[in-house]
């Protein structure tokens, strides 16, 4: 009998000696860049009720008509249950694709439903597009800063991300030219420009209309596709709708859309509008990922669009977000110490704040959480080491009172950092 109990594997052969994950040496090389985003890591602390969270980007759904949605869903199960609970086309429900074309027409896009592929949120669209176009080492151009989920997808396919700096009017065409010239000199292949033209996540800026054709022209000249990600396009606080890039260059722009911010993020219904030539490969890629997007959820969206005043609902969402935007901008003006600057969004969910020189917004975060306010550090929105003097403040979810309190707390933390 072994007095010390069952035999232990020798330490030398224990892969967990170096890492707690015993599967470490099995993973594909492409997983090396997959790390939890800083925002995700923060989620648990930031969701404590005493913390005012300016960190997450959750849409505020309180204005949704839940009673009538409940009635509609039960009618749906009764009337179309056997269709809704069954597999469907990999490309998505045809009626919904027609409705999606009507929505995109608001932005000047003329599209055929055959070129629309319904996805599980536009996040899946990002994954599909990267899967179709990027080999390891290919370059993707993206605004600096850029959407954290896009950076995650590009990294997962081992693409190299080159950031292109913006100003208050969005992506700067001259910076795009320089980035293309630089990558070409280095002998690298640029596959696409990924851009969020309207109410940028995280920068809160919108691409000036007079820059749009120039950007399309530059990309065409360099043989680079454009991925236009537009989940916030209908959330302008004055009700403006900007012309989509896709509207002027249907053969060179892939457009990503979503119902997450204009209806319900939990239904996970988005779409890709591809150039006709790309559509077939896109459908095959989508099929191998999910077989088909959830039929029931697509029918819920489709019925909602045809039976509710969707534009009226969006107007209510916009008014809610506008009230919150006013609250956060007013509080920033009132409380922020000298040396801070921030963007002034005219739609969407986010303000991008630059802190005074010498303050490290990432290092400051734990102290901010102790002071019961959370934000997303700027570093999470870059693929390189940039962003430490910036942060994203999301105003979409908290009440205006909580937003004002959060900014007051944040200003207090910044003041003590400056004194250090
Ligand atoms: N793109 C951008 C710019 C986003 O902000 C988001 C969500 N925050 C997405 C894509 C993904 O949206 P969804 O998958 O919910 O459609």
């Amino acid at each position: 009998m072994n007095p010390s109990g069952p035999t232990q594997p020798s330490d030398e052969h224990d892969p967990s000696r170096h890492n707690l994950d015993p599967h470490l040496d099995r993973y594909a090389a492409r997983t090396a860049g997959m790390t939890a985003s800083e925002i995700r890591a923060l989620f648990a602390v930031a969701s404590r009720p005493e913390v005012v969270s300016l960190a997450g980007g959750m849409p505020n759904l309180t204005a949704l008509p839940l009673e009538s949605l409940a009635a509609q869903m039960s009618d749906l199960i009764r009337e179309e249950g056997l269709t809704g609970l069954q597999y469907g086309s990999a490309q998505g429900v045809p009626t919904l694709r027609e409705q999606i074309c009507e929505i995109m027409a608001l932005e000047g896009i003329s599209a055929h439903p055959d070129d629309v592929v319904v996805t599980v949120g536009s996040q899946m669209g990002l994954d599909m597009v990267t899967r179709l176009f990027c080999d390891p080492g290919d370059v993707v151009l993206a605004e600096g800063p850029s959407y954290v989920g896009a950076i995650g997808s590009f990294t997962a396919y081992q693409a190299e991300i080159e950031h292109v700096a913006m100003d208050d009017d969005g992506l700067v065409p001259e910076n795009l030219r320089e980035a293309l010239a630089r990558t070409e000199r280095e002998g690298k292949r640029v596959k696409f420009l990924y851009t969020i033209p309207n109410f940028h996540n995280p920068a809160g800026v919108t691409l000036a209309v007079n820059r749009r054709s120039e950007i399309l022209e530059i990309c065409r000249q360099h043989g680079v596709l454009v991925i236009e990600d537009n989940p916030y396009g209908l959330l302008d606080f004055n009700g403006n709708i900007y012309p989509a890039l896709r509207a002027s260059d249907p053969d060179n722009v892939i457009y990503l859309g979503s119902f997450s911010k204009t209806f319900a993020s939990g239904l996970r219904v988005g779409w890709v509008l591809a150039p006709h030539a790309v559509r077939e490969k896109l459908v095959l890629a989508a099929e191998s990922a999910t077989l088909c997007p959830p039929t029931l959820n697509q029918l819920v969206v489709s019925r909602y669009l045809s039976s509710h005043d969707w534009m009226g609902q969006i107007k209510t969402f916009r008014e809610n977000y506008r009230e919150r935007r006013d609250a956060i901008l007013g509080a920033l003006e009132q409380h922020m110490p000298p040396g801070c600057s921030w963007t002034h969004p005219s739609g969407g969910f986010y303000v991008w704040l630059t802190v005074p020189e010498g303050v490290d917004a990432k290092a400051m975060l734990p102290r901010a959480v102790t002071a019961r306010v959370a934000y997303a550090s700027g570093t999470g929105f870059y693929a390189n080491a940039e962003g430490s003097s910036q942060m994203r403040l999301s105003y979409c979810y908290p009440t205006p009172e909580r937003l004002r309190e959060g900014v007051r707390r944040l200003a207090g933390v910044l003041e003590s950092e400056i004194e250090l």
Side-chain angles (χ1 to χ4, degrees):
M1 223 176 119
N2 181 351
S4 62
T7 318
Q8 298 296 318
S10 111
D11 197 34
E12 198 183 323
H13 300 290
D14 177 8
S16 64
R17 193 162 58 102
H18 304 294
N19 189 289
L20 290 177
D21 183 353
H23 304 281
L24 192 66
D25 54 5
R26 296 196 176 106
Y27 290 118
R30 78 179 79 89
T31 63
M34 290 183 188
T35 49
S37 83
E38 289 171 22
I39 298 173
R40 197 171 299 273
L42 195 71
F43 211 72
V45 250
S47 0
R48 291 206 305 255
E50 68 275 19
V51 176
V52 176
S53 177
L54 308 172
M58 276 207 295
N60 194 321
L61 303 180
T62 45
L64 279 178
L66 293 184
E67 282 306 321
S68 77
L69 268 172
Q72 185 189 300
M73 283 187 183
S74 86
D75 288 349
L76 177 60
I77 296 281
R78 262 186 232 105
E79 292 161 21
E80 287 185 89
L82 290 182
T83 308
L85 297 167
Q86 185 57 276
Y87 289 122
S89 138
Q91 198 171 344
V93 166
T95 327
L96 179 61
R97 287 190 277 118
E98 281 165 24
Q99 291 164 307
I100 287 172
C101 288
E102 285 167 29
I103 294 168
M104 291 189 295
L106 299 170
E107 297 170 342
I109 295 176
S110 150
H112 195 281
D114 276 358
D115 294 334
V116 174
V117 180
V118 179
T119 53
V120 182
S122 53
Q123 187 65 41
M124 177 182 159
L126 275 167
D127 186 276
M128 294 293 96
V129 165
T130 322
R131 185 194 296 201
L132 284 192
F133 290 102
C134 290
D135 286 316
D138 283 343
V139 171
V140 168
L141 298 179
E143 285 127 355
S146 188
Y147 168 50
V148 65
I151 294 177
S153 289
F154 305 152
T155 310
Y157 288 99
Q158 297 169 288
E160 273 183 36
I161 302 163
E162 289 274 344
H163 290 292
V164 185
M166 291 181 280
D167 63 16
D168 284 345
D169 284 330
L171 189 68
V172 180
E174 203 40 47
N175 294 346
L176 175 61
R177 272 199 197 88
E178 276 166 26
L180 281 161
R182 194 178 54 246
T183 40
E184 281 164 12
R185 264 198 315 276
E186 288 166 359
K188 293 176 177 165
R189 176 124 197 243
V190 180
K191 283 294 175 70
F192 55 73
L193 165 71
Y194 166 72
T195 178
I196 308 156
N198 303 316
F199 322 121
H200 193 277
N201 178 5
V205 297
T206 292
L207 182 63
V209 171
N210 63 5
R211 286 185 181 176
R212 297 187 179 213
S213 50
E214 192 178 353
I215 283 170
L216 287 169
E217 184 56 33
I218 299 171
C219 289
R220 258 197 179 272
Q221 277 167 3
H222 289 263
V224 166
L225 264 176
V226 177
I227 311 299
E228 174 177 28
D229 189 8
N230 192 26
Y232 305 97
L234 297 181
L235 295 178
D236 179 281
F237 299 138
N238 295 316
N240 295 324
I241 300 181
Y242 291 93
L245 296 170
R246 160 79 196 202
S248 342
D249 198 350
D251 294 331
N252 202 48
V253 180
I254 299 184
Y255 178 100
L256 306 183
S258 174
F259 289 104
S260 286
K261 325 287 165 165
T262 54
F263 180 25
S265 47
L267 288 174
R268 311 302 303 127
V269 179
W271 70 91
V272 181
L273 170 66
H276 191 69
V278 172
R279 187 205 63 120
E280 192 181 342
K281 281 229 178 331
L282 191 66
V283 175
L284 291 172
E287 197 169 21
S288 79
T290 64
L291 291 185
C292 66
T295 318
L296 191 64
N297 294 13
Q298 294 179 77
L299 294 181
V300 169
V301 175
S302 179
R303 273 202 182 211
Y304 179 80
L305 293 174
S306 57
S307 61
H308 284 75
D309 174 14
W310 183 55
M311 286 315 272
Q313 177 67 57
I314 292 180
K315 188 161 180 283
T316 312
F317 280 147
R318 284 202 311 253
E319 280 159 9
N320 283 345
Y321 293 132
R322 183 192 183 122
E323 191 191 358
R324 287 168 168 78
R325 186 273 319 254
D326 289 347
I328 198 167
L329 289 185
L332 287 165
E333 204 59 65
Q334 189 182 352
H335 297 295
M336 278 296 133
C340 293
S341 60
W342 54 90
T343 55
H344 295 75
S346 55
F349 289 6
Y350 312 103
V351 171
W352 185 244
L353 178 94
T354 303
V355 297
E357 233 184 279
V359 175
D360 182 333
K362 185 177 179 188
M364 188 185 104
L365 188 52
R367 295 187 280 283
V369 172
T370 308
R372 295 171 297 132
V373 60
Y375 56 83
S377 146
T379 46
F381 303 96
Y382 285 92
N384 51 29
E386 285 180 73
S388 62
S389 58
Q390 278 135 349
M391 61 178 74
R392 186 191 72 179
L393 306 178
S394 307
Y395 53 81
C396 43
Y397 198 77
T399 60
E401 295 69 44
R402 294 270 289 171
L403 286 169
R404 283 189 275 269
E405 178 56 23
V407 169
R408 205 184 55 74
R409 291 177 190 171
L410 182 62
V413 183
L414 274 167
E415 266 154 21
S416 28
E417 297 284 307
I418 294 165
E419 280 159 21
L420 280 180

